[in-house]
Amino acid sequence: MSNPRKTLLIVHHTPSPATRELLEAVLAGAKDPEIQNVDVLARPALAATLPDMLDADGYLFGTTANFGYMSGALKHFFDTVYYPSLDHVAGRPYGLWVHGNNDTVGAAAAVGKLATGLALSQAADVLEIVGAIDAATREKAYELGGTLAATLME
Ligand SMILES: Cc1cc2nc3c(=O)[nH]c(=O)nc-3n(C[C@H](O)[C@H](O)[C@H](O)COP(=O)(O)O)c2cc1C
């Protein structure tokens, strides 16, 4: 019998209080009481490994915008896992949030391109946040976490 439990891997770069707030909201959504049979594994991008990637059933990536691109930490993660993951993760769902101070477009596009290369399936709109975190942003981050986890329950 196949294992009914699924794993949502959250790979994030969280260098500040604002980004920590976002991560906590995403985690709370992913662990909403209505979600069942989904284990949430949150890994800082510099600590996430190839086995984490291969063993997961879906992904949430969270990054800051740095110099118009994803954070170096998340880039390092993709540098590490990209080629060994090809042909193993196709079709798995993913979501993405990006936090910046003025422009998150390049970072979001960069992660999107890698996800396309890996043939991941986008399961939620990209959440792009600029500046301070308010209640509405926290709610969107909660929803993002919940959406990805709920996708794995289907
Ligand atoms: C080296 C560096 C480069 C950055 N480049 C960008 C950028 O290209 N676009 C942007 O919107 N924010 C940029 N930022 C701001 C970070 O995205 C922001 O500091 C991060 O999301 C954390 O948010 P906080 O500083 O409000 O806590 C940069 C920050 C640093 C330290």
Side-chain angles (χ1 to χ4, degrees), residues 4-112:
R5 295 199 72 81
K6 305 285 185 189
T7 299
L8 174 62
L9 174 65
I10 302 181
V11 183
H12 61 93
H13 181 56
T14 301
S16 71
T19 47
R20 177 77 201 176
E21 244 184 294
L22 276 178
L23 173 65
E24 284 177 2
V26 168
L27 283 171
K31 295 176 182 177
D32 183 281
E34 286 188 24
I35 307 286
Q36 284 171 7
N37 293 326
V38 177
D39 298 318
V40 178
L41 181 64
R43 289 272 190 259
L46 291 175
T49 65
L50 178 60
D52 291 338
M53 182 76 181
L54 295 178
D55 291 347
D57 299 287
Y59 310 96
L60 255 171
F61 306 114
T63 186
T64 53
N66 288 145
F67 302 133
Y69 199 74
M70 74 180 85
S71 66
L74 191 62
K75 165 113 176 358
H76 172 75
F77 170 73
F78 281 119
D79 285 348
T80 306
V81 305
Y82 185 86
Y83 282 101
S85 295
L86 279 176
D87 304 326
H88 296 285
V89 300
R92 294 180 188 172
Y94 86 97
L96 167 67
W97 79 90
V98 182
H99 183 268
N101 282 348
N102 47 55
D103 179 13
T104 55
V105 174
V111 177

Side-chain angles (χ1 to χ4, degrees), residues 61 78 82 89 94 109-122:
F61 306 114
F78 281 119
Y82 185 86
V89 300
Y94 86 97
V111 177
K113 272 185 202 164
L114 287 171
T116 299
L118 289 167
L120 298 178
S121 167
Q122 187 175 348

